[in-house]
Amino acid sequence: MKIIKYGIILSRIREEDIETVRNWRNDPVVVANYEFREYITPEMQKAWFESISNIHNIYTIIEYNGEQVGVVNLKHIDWEKQTGEGGIFIPDRRHHETPVPSIVTFMTTELMMDLFRFSEARAHVLRDNKPNQAFVKQLGYELVPGQESAGNQEYRLTRERFDVCAPKIRKAITVLTGDDSPVRFVVEPHDSGDELVRLLEESIKTKPGVKLLQDSAAGRIYAISY
């Protein structure tokens, strides 16, 4: 499964990817932004992968300019209550000074609020990570009451707040990337039998503004206009 927009490709993590993801997650640059800072072993990584391989988590590898650069996720998804939590890590400092982290964060927030129609989204940001705090606030996230003294602070975003804050950011990203095309959702041959991909595809097919661009042995591609 792939999701493509703004020059970014998000590919759902498969078992053959987990060693790469483990090495990224153990990078000191990434560890510094997490509450959990223990070294992750191959056995721990395999157990983690098994725990997130379900309909309540969407973990994807970020690809930019043909290079895999990090991971972005939607986790703790409750499809009935329409809620979930986003997160991202990019180990290579070269990309920290580029728009990539902000574009990916906005892209996945769009998925939650505009495609999946979540009622609210959540995010955790370390109290001393001021740049991340500033950006999630631009997206409309607000600090949850009682989190002022927490080390790993919880932020909440409602769909109404996102609808107010998103247009300005969307316009800036569209100008920056030169990409105002619809989102492309790609179902690949190896996705056959995957419960999460089936759920997402069935949901997407019923939405207005969706066009099936390809249906072949190579997979199915949908164009989605929010």
Side-chain angles (χ1 to χ4, degrees), residues 11-13 48 52 57-61 71-75:
S11 301
R12 191 176 182 214
I13 291 175
W48 166 81
I52 58 94
N57 300 279
I58 306 173
Y59 277 77
T60 62
I61 289 181
V71 170
V72 66
N73 66 270
L74 305 178
K75 64 181 181 179

Side-chain angles (χ1 to χ4, degrees), residues 23 55-56:
N23 289 331
I55 64 170
H56 303 293

Side-chain angles (χ1 to χ4, degrees), residues 7 25 149 157 165:
R25 182 59 178 79
S149 61
L157 173 67
C165 298

Side-chain angles (χ1 to χ4, degrees), residues 13-211:
I13 291 175
R14 303 173 66 193
E15 188 163 8
E16 53 261 44
D17 302 315
I18 64 175
E19 186 63 12
T20 295
V21 173
R22 184 179 76 89
N23 289 331
W24 286 342
R25 182 59 178 79
N26 281 327
D27 189 299
V29 172
V30 174
V31 171
N33 289 310
Y34 275 84
E35 199 169 32
F36 181 84
R37 299 185 176 183
E38 293 179 25
Y39 180 80
I40 298 170
T41 66
E43 293 75 21
M44 292 166 66
Q45 187 73 352
K46 190 172 188 301
W48 166 81
F49 178 72
E50 291 172 354
S51 74
I52 58 94
S53 297
N54 53 56
I55 64 170
H56 303 293
N57 300 279
I58 306 173
Y59 277 77
T60 62
I61 289 181
I62 305 161
E63 185 177 328
Y64 175 69
N65 281 345
E67 178 185 0
Q68 293 182 333
V69 302
V71 170
V72 66
N73 66 270
L74 305 178
K75 64 181 181 179
H76 306 318
I77 297 172
D78 186 321
W79 294 106
E80 291 187 6
K81 294 181 179 179
Q82 295 180 305
T83 61
E85 179 176 342
I88 181 174
F89 66 78
I90 296 176
D92 194 330
R93 291 183 184 272
R94 289 179 301 139
H95 300 294
H96 294 184
E97 305 304 320
T98 73
V100 172
S102 296
I103 293 172
V104 173
T105 300
F106 181 73
M107 178 179 171
T108 52
T109 307
E110 272 192 319
L111 291 174
M112 286 190 285
M113 293 301 182
D114 290 338
L115 180 59
F116 302 152
R117 302 302 292 170
F118 282 5
S119 59
E120 85 172 31
R122 302 231 170 194
H124 281 82
V125 182
L126 293 181
R127 188 173 57 191
D128 58 359
N129 192 335
K130 303 304 181 184
N132 280 7
Q133 289 177 15
F135 187 68
V136 297
K137 288 177 181 177
Q138 287 181 20
L139 286 174
Y141 281 88
E142 298 176 299
L143 188 65
V144 173
Q147 288 286 299
E148 294 79 7
S149 61
N152 193 23
Q153 296 177 321
E154 184 176 12
Y155 285 78
R156 175 176 176 266
L157 173 67
T158 63
R159 189 187 301 168
E160 292 76 16
R161 284 281 297 165
F162 181 72
D163 287 345
V164 170
C165 298
K168 184 177 180 180
I169 300 174
R170 183 180 293 114
K171 182 178 180 180
I173 291 176
T174 298
V175 170
L176 179 65
T177 62
D179 183 3
D180 62 355
S181 60
V183 178
R184 281 175 288 164
F185 179 81
V186 183
V187 179
E188 302 173 279
H190 60 248
D191 292 321
S192 175
D194 188 300
E195 186 180 7
L196 173 65
V197 178
R198 181 193 59 77
L199 183 154
L200 294 178
E201 184 176 15
E202 289 302 314
S203 174
I204 287 167
K205 284 162 58 176
T206 65
K207 297 184 182 300
V210 175
K211 182 178 180 180

